[in-house]
Amino acid sequence: MNTLAYGLLGLVAKMPSSGYDLMLQLQPFWQAKHSQIYPLLAKLEQEDYLEFTRVLQTDRPDKKVYSITDKGRAALREWLARPTGEPVFRDELSLKAYCLWLTDRATARKLFEEREELNQEHLSMYENFLAELEQACEGRPENPSSPYFGEYILLTRAVNSIREELNWCRWVIGMLDKQS
Amino acid sequence: MNTLAYGLLGLVAKMPSSGYDLMLQLQPFWQAKHSQIYPLLAKLEQEDYLEFTRVLQTDRPDKKVYSITDKGRAALREWLARPTGEPVFRDELSLKAYCLWLTDRATARKLFEEREELNQEHLSMYENFLAELEQACEGRPENPSSPYFGEYILLTRAVNSIREELNWCRWVIGMLDKQS
DNA sequence: CTGGTCATGTAATGAGTTACATGATTGA
DNA sequence: TCAATCATGTAACTCATTACATGACCAG
């Protein structure tokens, strides 16, 4: 049972979903490809943390909809109380920033402009998610008992940190522009 | 040649260092264990991106001090101009936040208090790094031509984002405390 | 008719962690 | 005397990405 496995249990615990669906839902918080998810789901099902029913669809491919078992829910509760691993952040841009002095202004500038753009896209995406959430739960996501609370605080953090990185990019570009 | 390899080249390009030293320098921006670094350095040396001299020490174990070759510097410059991979952030706390509704207030609270503490530690550490850097380069790290510029902008980003996550933790704890 | 989404899977490879291995010095 | 730091390496394992494989539907 690794972290990704608990992540999947956590999503399924809230709402039964297909592997494909879980992959999409998970993206913002834990990047994993379908090739990692499908085998894991099969394993979790074999070990009775999850169960699935095959849902037949006419217009699209059939799907397996997984739901959580009592054993799965118990495992989740136990996991929540166990020590949390430290976060891992790996950003190629940091490593490039370290050797900016080796290159010219134009190349350097481009690096941060691309990241600025990426952040701009992410920002509007997450702002939309947050707005949708606030609609969905009739304005009380700040209540820690609400099932939306977790998503609410996560989206808030995401929006804040993206906004900040965006400002950081602009600050760096500003310095790169000054011919000093 | 993967991202870590370029990261090592980038550090060595600025200052010749031992594998052990590189591991420590790299920690803030790219977490990698010595068991990953040593074999990579050996490979980079075999392929003439790096070269090393064995430095004998009396009080401590001898070390291999790596420095960059012309081929290594050329590879770095080329890498800087190539498209940058998207950052990867994996935080177990996000996944736990998602299923907070499954557990009690006390467990939830502890989760964020622990992260708050971690951020507090990181914050003072990075603030010190930044202060040291500002001393080291006699107050002009904002000059993009300075070899300190890269480190300066990275440390600034680190301090900002840690400070923000710290505030986020406190905000969440505040909500958890309100008996709503 | 081409490319995107939905849908699930396996195989091969690469990246990263943990454990094994050694050994001197220094500070609590 | 116990743990930490410095210093380098290998072996086994797990985790993650890329590539291989299939196939229907829909929009431009």
Side-chain angles (χ1 to χ4, degrees):
Chain A
M1 292 288 289
N2 57 25
T3 308
L4 178 57
Y6 287 108
L8 291 170
L9 289 186
L11 289 181
V12 172
K14 205 177 252 173
M15 184 172 56
S17 316
S18 67
Y20 188 82
D21 207 14
L22 289 167
M23 176 194 60
L24 295 180
Q25 286 179 252
L26 207 57
Q27 285 319 297
F29 311 113
W30 196 279
Q31 297 75 45
K33 317 277 167 177
H34 71 277
S35 53
Q36 200 180 3
I37 290 174
Y38 290 126
L40 233 190
L41 286 172
K43 201 193 125 206
L44 291 171
E45 190 266 332
Q46 268 171 35
E47 294 174 12
D48 299 314
Y49 293 101
L50 294 177
E51 53 193 17
F52 72 88
T53 45
R54 192 172 287 278
V55 173
L56 306 169
Q57 299 181 119
T58 50
D59 52 334
R60 336 181 137 186
D62 301 346
K63 59 182 176 179
K64 288 180 171 182
V65 172
Y66 288 87
S67 32
I68 198 157
T69 62
D70 287 340
K71 187 180 172 187
R73 233 184 315 269
L76 263 183
R77 288 215 182 82
E78 210 203 300
W79 169 63
L80 282 165
R82 285 210 301 270
T84 307
E86 289 202 17
V88 171
F89 301 139
R90 284 200 185 92
D91 186 357
E92 193 174 1
L93 185 62
S94 313
L95 301 182
K96 287 192 172 180
Y98 223 90
C99 40
L100 274 184
W101 58 281
L102 269 168
T103 194
D104 55 296
R105 291 283 169 103
T107 306
R109 207 177 188 283
K110 207 176 160 195
L111 238 39
F112 294 93
E113 280 170 349
E114 276 167 13
R115 178 55 63 90
E116 186 192 0
E117 217 175 303
L118 183 69
N119 280 316
Q120 201 108 55
E121 285 166 32
H122 285 178
L123 183 59
S124 51
M125 194 173 72
Y126 284 96
E127 280 175 339
N128 283 338
F129 286 163
L130 198 55
E132 280 168 32
L133 183 82
E134 275 163 353
Q135 282 212 312
C137 65
E138 289 131 19
R140 246 186 247 91
E142 307 87 356
N143 184 344
S145 311
S146 157
Y148 297 101
F149 183 71
E151 236 171 309
Y152 170 63
I153 62 175
L154 285 174
L155 288 173
T156 302
R157 177 170 68 159
V159 166
N160 286 342
S161 66
I162 294 166
R163 201 171 272 154
E164 199 190 68
E165 195 174 281
L166 185 59
N167 286 331
W168 176 76
C169 290
R170 288 172 178 163
W171 173 72
V172 172
I173 293 168
M175 283 192 291
L176 287 170
D177 280 340
K178 279 180 203 147
Q179 293 302 94
S180 49
Chain B
M1 290 289 288
N2 58 24
T3 309
L4 178 57
Y6 287 108
L8 290 170
L9 289 186
L11 289 180
V12 172
K14 205 176 253 174
M15 182 172 57
S17 316
S18 65
Y20 187 81
D21 206 15
L22 289 167
M23 176 194 59
L24 295 180
Q25 286 179 249
L26 207 56
Q27 284 318 298
F29 311 113
W30 196 280
Q31 297 74 45
K33 316 280 166 172
H34 71 276
S35 53
Q36 198 180 5
I37 290 174
Y38 289 126
L40 232 191
L41 286 172
K43 201 193 124 205
L44 291 170
E45 189 266 332
Q46 268 172 35
E47 293 172 14
D48 297 314
Y49 293 101
L50 293 177
E51 54 193 15
F52 73 89
T53 46
R54 191 173 286 279
V55 174
L56 306 170
Q57 298 181 119
T58 50
D59 52 334
R60 333 182 139 185
D62 299 347
K63 59 181 175 179
K64 289 179 170 184
V65 171
Y66 288 88
S67 33
I68 199 158
T69 62
D70 287 340
K71 187 180 172 186
R73 234 183 315 268
L76 263 183
R77 287 215 183 81
E78 210 203 301
W79 168 64
L80 281 164
R82 285 210 302 269
T84 307
E86 289 202 18
V88 171
F89 302 139
R90 284 199 184 95
D91 187 356
E92 194 176 358
L93 184 63
S94 314
L95 301 183
K96 287 191 172 182
Y98 224 89
C99 41
L100 274 186
W101 58 280
L102 268 168
T103 193
D104 54 297
R105 290 283 170 104
T107 306
R109 207 176 190 282
K110 208 177 160 195
L111 238 40
F112 294 94
E113 280 171 348
E114 274 167 13
R115 178 55 62 90
E116 186 191 1
E117 216 176 303
L118 183 70
N119 281 315
Q120 200 109 55
E121 284 166 33
H122 285 179
L123 184 58
S124 52
M125 193 173 72
Y126 284 96
E127 279 175 340
N128 283 338
F129 286 163
L130 198 56
E132 279 168 33
L133 183 83
E134 274 163 353
Q135 282 211 313
C137 66
E138 289 131 19
R140 244 186 252 90
E142 306 86 356
N143 184 344
S145 311
S146 156
Y148 297 101
F149 182 71
E151 236 170 307
Y152 170 63
I153 62 175
L154 286 175
L155 287 174
T156 302
R157 177 171 67 159
V159 166
N160 286 342
S161 65
I162 294 166
R163 200 171 273 154
E164 200 190 69
E165 195 174 281
L166 185 59
N167 287 331
W168 177 76
C169 289
R170 288 173 179 161
W171 173 72
V172 173
I173 293 168
M175 283 192 291
L176 287 170
D177 280 341
K178 280 181 204 147
Q179 293 302 94
S180 49

